Amino acid sequence: MSQQLKNDIPQEAFDWYDEYAHGMIDRRSFMKKLGTLVAIGYSMTLLTSALLPNYALAEQVSFNDADIKATYATFDSPLGHGKGQGYLVTPTNKTGKLPVVLVIHENRGLNPYIKDVARRLAKQGFIAFAPDALYPLGGYPGNDDEGKAMQKSLDKSKIQQDFVAAANFLKNQPNSNGKLGAVGFCFGGYIVNYLAAAQPNLLSAGVPFYGTPASKELRKNIKAPLMVQLGELDQRVNNTWPEYETDLITFNVPYQMFMYKNANHGFHNDSTSRYDKENAELAWTRTLAFFNENLN
């Protein structure tokens, strides 16, 4: 979608999509709200094609790329759902012990965008692992609506334990150098914050993209350096930042926060028009530099 068309979509449409994506309104209510824009001259086709994901757009690194090898791996999760599975991507042009990065999806399962993020990391020399929280229910179903409903039906505490188990599985891979990073988006951003707080020695670096903080009583445990990535227009998540920052300062947690001007929640996701290429590329460059600094 061109920048001009993107600019033609009112901000409230992006805000409604955020409410819909996070279960605050259902699809019927979301479409009804979009209908109010149609009534004043906007095209429903334009609005839905802009706001709903098109995962054909979200492939920056092909799974056939000669520099990586992508496969699936299962792991034990005794405190979660018993077993988990994820997308494991390793560099083929690197030898020896390598840094490892857990890639954590949004609230709808392991979609193609998150797989591509794992491939991007492997292309840069990291062993990347992207678990699918929906594995106990058969895995990501191929569409976000169903995936979101499936994830909502699962016990959140067990999902959290599945990601703890996935993190330990990845950290202990034979080719791991023992330093684990985590990057996550939306719900995945929350899980990055949770992992840093739940097991203080688990992460060596965490990058939550527009994720809410772990529960207040856990934050005193955080030791890993954090790089917090926020979009200026993402008021829902940004409202949680001042209190979280106060606690990070109180507990002497090394952190950086970057606020990206005119960026929406989901600005790194290149499958919808919330994607902000300039800000996403800057945030990703910072993320890679942060991981290289802390994981090598």
Side-chain angles (χ1 to χ4, degrees), residues 94-111:
K94 299 277 187 180
T95 57
K97 301 291 187 179
L98 298 174
V100 293
V101 177
L102 194 71
V103 183
I104 308 169
H105 60 68
E106 307 118 319
N107 64 338
R108 63 211 69 171
L110 181 58
N111 60 45

Side-chain angles (χ1 to χ4, degrees), residues 10 16 33 51 56 70 108 113 118-119 134-136 146 154 165 171 184 186 190 223 230 255 264 268 271 280 290:
W16 295 336
K33 285 176 179 285
L51 295 169
R108 63 211 69 171
Y113 154 65
R119 294 194 296 270
L134 303 186
Y135 177 70
E146 189 177 346
L154 290 169
K171 189 172 184 177
C186 183
Y190 160 74
K223 293 181 180 178
L230 300 174
Y255 78 94
N264 277 288
H268 184 268
S271 69
F290 186 66

Side-chain angles (χ1 to χ4, degrees), residues 192-225:
V192 172
N193 287 320
Y194 173 77
L195 292 175
Q199 292 197 5
N201 298 313
L202 183 59
L203 296 185
S204 294
V207 183
F209 275 77
Y210 28 85
T212 54
S215 60
K216 193 168 180 64
E217 63 271 17
L218 291 178
R219 297 176 201 169
K220 65 182 181 296
N221 300 323
I222 302 173
K223 293 181 180 178

Side-chain angles (χ1 to χ4, degrees), residues 8-60:
D8 286 343
I9 298 173
Q11 179 59 37
E12 55 259 42
F14 292 102
D15 295 339
W16 295 336
Y17 178 77
D18 186 64
E19 292 176 2
Y20 163 60
H22 295 92
M24 300 172 191
I25 58 174
D26 60 19
R27 186 181 180 89
R28 182 177 179 181
S29 299
F30 171 58
M31 297 304 290
K32 185 175 180 180
K33 285 176 179 285
L34 291 184
T36 64
L37 297 178
V38 174
I40 60 173
Y42 289 91
S43 160
M44 181 63 81
T45 300
L46 170 66
L47 292 169
T48 56
S49 65
L51 295 169
L52 300 176
N54 176 3
Y55 288 122
L57 301 175
E59 185 178 84
Q60 296 186 21

Side-chain angles (χ1 to χ4, degrees), residues 62-230:
S62 169
F63 68 88
N64 290 317
D65 192 297
D67 290 337
I68 64 169
K69 179 183 178 182
T71 186
Y72 290 89
T74 57
F75 57 92
D76 292 327
S77 181
L79 299 179
H81 289 96
K83 284 281 187 181
Q85 185 183 80
Y87 187 63
L88 182 66
V89 195
T90 56
T92 58
N93 57 357
K94 299 277 187 180
T95 57
K97 301 291 187 179
L98 298 174
V100 293
V101 177
L102 194 71
V103 183
I104 308 169
H105 60 68
E106 307 118 319
N107 64 338
R108 63 211 69 171
L110 181 58
N111 60 45
Y113 154 65
I114 297 297
K115 288 183 177 181
D116 192 64
V117 172
R119 294 194 296 270
R120 296 175 208 174
L121 283 160
K123 181 80 171 175
Q124 296 297 321
F126 301 93
I127 298 172
F129 188 52
D132 188 353
L134 303 186
Y135 177 70
L137 300 177
Y140 176 71
N143 74 82
D144 281 14
D145 271 355
E146 189 177 346
K148 185 172 60 176
M150 290 168 66
Q151 188 161 324
K152 190 175 182 180
S153 75
L154 290 169
D155 183 322
K156 183 179 177 180
S157 64
K158 287 189 175 182
I159 292 178
Q160 291 175 167
Q161 290 304 316
D162 287 340
F163 281 105
V164 171
N168 281 297
F169 166 78
L170 178 58
K171 189 172 184 177
N172 292 300
Q173 285 292 295
N175 292 330
S176 164
N177 70 357
K179 292 186 176 180
L180 171 68
V183 60
F185 307 87
C186 183
F187 166 80
Y190 160 74
I191 291 292
V192 172
N193 287 320
Y194 173 77
L195 292 175
Q199 292 197 5
N201 298 313
L202 183 59
L203 296 185
S204 294
V207 183
F209 275 77
Y210 28 85
T212 54
S215 60
K216 193 168 180 64
E217 63 271 17
L218 291 178
R219 297 176 201 169
K220 65 182 181 296
N221 300 323
I222 302 173
K223 293 181 180 178
L226 299 176
M227 176 177 281
V228 178
Q229 312 271 31
L230 300 174

